Amino acid sequence: MPADFPSILLFVGRLLLGGAFVFAGLRNIQNAAFLTGLMTARGVPQARLALWAGIVLQVIAGVLVVIGTWTAIAAAVLVLFLIVATPMFHNFWDHQGPDRAARINGFVGNVALTGGVLTLIAQSV
């Protein structure tokens, strides 16, 4: 195994993990009207402002993770984002049937992302 193999794996991991947040943030821009309505219906005050704050956090923190700058701080911001966003958008307990299954999948996916981000924090400090 080459001596730099762990560094390559870490970079690819940061690229995939941070890139997922950048992609999601950019996709959320396209869905901003729908997401603002959903957040308003869930009782989020200043839903439009909260959505755009979340998008900015996702994109900036995701980019910082990818490039490996302020990684622990960026990853901690992403954990906080996931703690807030996951129950808001993946509230499977309020749904039945196929919609419930889809939301459970999203919830579990975000829990896994949280685990990956926590692992990145542990590696960075």
Side-chain angles (χ1 to χ4, degrees):
M1 176 180 329
D4 62 345
F5 189 65
S7 297
I8 293 168
L9 286 178
L10 181 59
F11 171 72
V12 172
R14 285 194 337 258
L15 178 65
L16 294 173
L17 189 58
F21 284 96
V22 173
F23 174 78
L26 295 175
R27 190 185 63 201
N28 288 343
I29 292 170
Q30 294 177 317
N31 298 318
F34 170 76
L35 294 171
T36 300
L38 185 68
M39 292 171 68
T40 300
R42 301 272 299 156
V44 175
Q46 299 292 320
R48 181 175 160 81
L49 178 62
L51 175 67
W52 283 99
I55 289 169
V56 168
L57 287 175
Q58 278 182 291
V59 172
I60 291 175
V63 167
L64 290 172
V65 165
V66 169
I67 64 176
T69 302
W70 298 336
T71 305
I73 294 169
V77 167
L78 292 174
V79 168
L80 293 175
F81 171 83
L82 286 164
I83 288 169
V84 171
T86 299
M88 184 181 311
F89 292 105
H90 302 291
N91 56 327
F92 63 87
W93 50 89
D94 289 336
H95 299 271
Q96 297 298 320
D99 192 36
R100 180 182 176 96
R103 289 179 190 258
I104 288 172
N105 289 339
F107 189 94
V108 171
N110 277 10
V111 169
L113 281 172
T114 302
V117 174
L118 289 171
T119 302
L120 188 59
I121 293 170
Q123 182 278 327
S124 300
V125 292

